């Protein structure tokens, strides 16, 4: 598991401020992307999401758990661009952790209490953050041990 202190504070703050990620998967039919609501847990350096068993990206994650994705705000001002590119290993949340993770997920997205769908952990392995607020092209990098 990654050490929290090694994760740049700018990355933690950004991941905690955002709530939608783009998930990129691959299956037998090719590449596929999906937008998903998530919450970030700094202790495990993971994003957690809820998604249907019937979705194409769920089937792809079951077959090939190595995924990639992005998290970005929309701005036309180049000086304000911030965003993250990541790679991760996708895995279903273990049954023993399911209630705890669902409670945390529902704190962020109360409507999820009305939904029954599996929870997934995206265990982040590499993160590259572009942060033009600190100067054009400024990057923060992190990689799991």
């Amino acid at each position: 598991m990654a050490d929290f202190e090694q994760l740049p504070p700018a990355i933690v703050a950004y991941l905690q401020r955002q709530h939608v990620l783009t998930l990129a998967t691959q299956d037998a039919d090719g590449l596929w992307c999906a937008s998903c609501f998530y919450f970030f847990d700094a202790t495990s350096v993971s994003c957690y999401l809820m998604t249907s068993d019937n979705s194409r990206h769920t089937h792809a994650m079951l077959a090939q758990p190595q995924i990639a994705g992005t998290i970005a705000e929309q701005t036309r001002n180049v000086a304000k661009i911030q965003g993250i590119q990541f790679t991760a290993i996708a895995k279903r949340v273990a049954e023993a952790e399911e209630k705890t993770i669902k409670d945390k997920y529902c704190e962020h997205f109360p409507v999820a209490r009305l939904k029954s769908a599996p929870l997934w952990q995206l265990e982040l392995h590499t993160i590259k953050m572009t942060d033009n607020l600190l100067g054009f092209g400024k990057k923060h990098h992190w990689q799991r041990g």
Side-chain angles (χ1 to χ4, degrees), residues 74-123:
Q74 302 300 310
T75 180
R76 291 182 183 268
N77 185 338
V78 173
K80 292 184 178 181
I81 290 175
Q82 289 185 301
I84 284 182
Q85 296 165 283
F86 66 86
T87 64
I89 301 297
K91 49 190 163 185
R92 286 204 173 176
V93 170
E95 195 175 320
E97 296 179 290
E98 201 168 336
K99 182 182 178 346
T100 302
I101 299 301
K102 175 118 186 215
D103 288 345
K104 287 181 184 180
Y105 190 86
C106 290
E107 285 176 24
H108 295 271
F109 311 106
V111 72
R113 291 190 194 289
L114 305 174
K115 197 107 169 92
S116 177
L119 292 158
W120 284 79
Q121 176 185 8
L122 304 183
E123 182 184 77

Side-chain angles (χ1 to χ4, degrees), residues 7-99:
L7 194 59
I11 290 176
V12 173
Y14 188 80
L15 287 169
Q16 289 177 335
R17 247 189 351 264
Q18 302 306 312
H19 64 276
V20 176
L21 60 79
T22 299
L23 177 67
T25 61
Q26 185 163 2
D27 62 17
D29 293 326
L31 299 170
W32 189 253
C33 292
S35 296
C36 302
F37 289 103
Y38 79 93
F39 82 88
F40 175 68
D41 177 66
T43 304
S44 64
V45 190
S46 297
C47 295
Y48 290 90
L49 56 94
M50 179 185 281
T51 189
S52 165
D53 273 336
N54 299 323
S55 69
R56 181 173 173 184
H57 58 275
T58 294
H59 290 282
M61 290 187 298
L62 286 167
Q64 174 51 266
Q66 187 174 6
I67 57 95
T70 62
I71 301 167
E73 297 175 67
Q74 302 300 310
T75 180
R76 291 182 183 268
N77 185 338
V78 173
K80 292 184 178 181
I81 290 175
Q82 289 185 301
I84 284 182
Q85 296 165 283
F86 66 86
T87 64
I89 301 297
K91 49 190 163 185
R92 286 204 173 176
V93 170
E95 195 175 320
E97 296 179 290
E98 201 168 336
K99 182 182 178 346

